[in-house]
């Protein structure tokens, strides 16, 4: 599940593979960029902003450009050595190939692939709230943005990237479990919202630098989450069956005992 930490890791992989390199070839397999050729362009850096990837390039005329991509549920970038077999996924999922003397970067099933002047990056990521893993992470601003919609359920508010950028469905479910908060709680009724935001940031930060996402501290298969993906399995704390239901456009997992409805909270329908 690509969430902020996965995207942060991916940005680092691309940075190590390509930063400073002059591209020797490119192959875009999306209609909008089919005629784009980045041969001779230089890669300045790779960065993440929430769940968005920004590969910053310099054109031969020295103009700064940004290649934007989004992984959503199923996208991935991989870096291979020149001549190495691309083993990650079927070739028909490839959306772009970037070649340099030292590495080949292959983007699979990427979404929102776009090439824009770096000065116009905000047209793609300017709407995002504070980035949980960004150098400018601002927890007070994130809390303010959440507070701006007090009747929204906390389960939906945490996924709204305009509030804070980087939390996906997995960390949403896990953070709410760890704080004992029902996903259907309106933002106004969440006790200690700053504490909840702080925990979300620490969970993502703790998972940087590895590909296995864990909220329990265990990296063993089947033991990495408290509630996410564990429908009908016993809660690790109280033994009650973990519940699963749609909330907004996504499903949510929670323990009905550890995350009780609060008075005045509309019940899940
Ligand atoms: Zn429980």
């Amino acid at each position: 599940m690509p969430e902020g930490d996965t995207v942060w890791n991916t940005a680092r992989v691309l940075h190590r593979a390509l930063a400073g390199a002059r591209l020797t070839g490119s192959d875009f397999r999306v209609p909008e960029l089919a005629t784009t050729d980045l041969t001779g362009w230089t890669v300045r850096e790779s960065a993440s902003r929430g769940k968005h990837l920004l590969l910053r390039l310099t054109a031969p005329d020295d103009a700064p450009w940004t290649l934007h991509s989004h992984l959503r549920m199923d996208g991935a970038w991989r870096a291979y050595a020149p001549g190495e077999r691309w083993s990650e996924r079927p070739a028909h999922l490839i959306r772009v190939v970037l070649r340099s003397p030292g590495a080949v970067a292959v983007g699979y099933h990427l979404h929102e692939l776009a090439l824009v002047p770096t000065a116009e990056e905000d047209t793609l990521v300017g709407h995002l709230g504070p980035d949980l893993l960004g150098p400018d992470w601002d927890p007070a601003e994130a809390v303010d943005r959440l507070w701006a919609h007090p009747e929204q359920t906390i389960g939906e508010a945490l996924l709204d990237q305009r509030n804070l950028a980087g939390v996906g469905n997995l960390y949403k479910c896990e953070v709410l479990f760890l704080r004992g908060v029902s996903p259907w709680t309106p933002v106004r009724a969440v006790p200690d919202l700053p504490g909840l935001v702080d925990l979300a940031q620490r969970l993502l930060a703790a998972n940087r630098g590895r590909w296995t996402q864990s909220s329990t501290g265990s990296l063993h298969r089947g033991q990495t989450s408290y509630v996410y993906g564990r429908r009908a399995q016993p809660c690790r704390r109280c033994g009650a069956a973990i519940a699963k239901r749609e909330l907004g456009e996504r499903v949510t997992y929670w323990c009905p005992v550890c995350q009780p409805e609060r008075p005045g909270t509309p019940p899940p329908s």
Side-chain angles (χ1 to χ4, degrees):
M1 176 75 55
E3 304 199 18
D5 55 339
T6 307
V7 179
W8 189 93
N9 290 342
T10 302
R12 192 169 66 161
V13 166
L14 286 177
H15 190 85
R16 286 176 173 172
L18 295 179
R22 186 177 295 271
L23 297 179
T24 54
S26 70
D27 178 7
F28 285 93
R29 303 184 187 176
V30 294
E32 304 78 31
L33 295 172
T35 60
T36 300
D37 182 3
L38 300 183
T39 302
W41 293 43
T42 302
V43 178
R44 299 201 308 280
E45 62 177 352
S46 167
S48 62
R49 178 83 191 153
K51 296 195 277 186
H52 299 248
L53 276 160
L54 305 169
L55 189 67
R56 299 188 176 115
L57 306 147
T58 302
D61 65 358
D62 284 340
W65 287 79
T66 297
L67 181 64
H68 168 274
S69 58
H70 198 292
L71 305 183
R72 288 202 201 152
M73 309 284 278
D74 47 8
W77 277 95
R78 290 292 181 268
Y80 299 102
E84 184 182 353
R85 208 170 82 85
W86 303 348
S87 52
E88 179 67 20
R89 296 187 188 190
H92 73 270
L93 293 179
I94 294 173
R95 297 294 178 264
V96 60
V97 179
L98 301 176
R99 300 173 188 279
S100 77
V104 181
V106 181
Y108 296 92
H109 218 158
L110 301 174
H111 304 270
E112 301 170 40
L113 202 56
L115 186 65
V116 300
T118 296
E120 296 173 19
E121 272 182 11
D122 269 4
T123 61
L124 298 167
V125 296
H127 64 289
L128 296 174
D131 179 359
L132 288 138
L133 298 179
D136 54 350
W137 165 236
D138 183 344
E141 170 71 13
V143 170
D144 283 348
R145 288 181 178 225
L146 288 165
W147 266 118
H149 304 282
E151 299 302 327
Q152 192 176 27
T153 66
I154 188 64
E156 291 172 288
L158 286 176
L159 290 181
D160 188 335
Q161 304 294 303
R162 294 170 296 188
N163 291 330
L164 67 179
V167 173
N169 210 21
L170 186 157
Y171 290 120
K172 173 205 81 180
C173 295
E174 296 297 296
V175 165
L176 292 176
F177 172 82
L178 288 164
R179 299 293 299 186
V181 174
S182 161
W184 281 269
T185 310
V187 167
R188 62 172 162 73
V190 173
D192 189 13
L193 196 56
L196 190 150
V197 166
D198 179 58
L199 179 61
Q201 195 277 335
R202 285 187 284 125
L203 259 186
L204 261 77
N207 279 286
R208 272 183 305 199
R210 63 173 188 235
W211 298 99
T212 302
Q213 296 168 306
S214 174
S215 57
T216 61
S218 171
L219 297 178
H220 294 291
R221 194 178 177 84
Q223 297 175 23
T224 55
S225 72
Y226 285 104
V227 292
Y228 185 82
R230 300 193 63 239
R231 181 186 190 179
Q233 295 181 49
C235 173
R236 299 190 195 282
R237 284 198 176 149
C238 75
I242 299 301
K244 173 189 177 185
R245 198 171 298 171
E246 286 181 9
L247 170 57
E249 295 174 355
R250 307 290 293 275
V251 297
T252 200
Y253 298 86
W254 81 106
C255 172
V257 175
C258 294
Q259 299 166 260
E261 303 299 328
R262 287 185 162 68
T265 303
S269 55

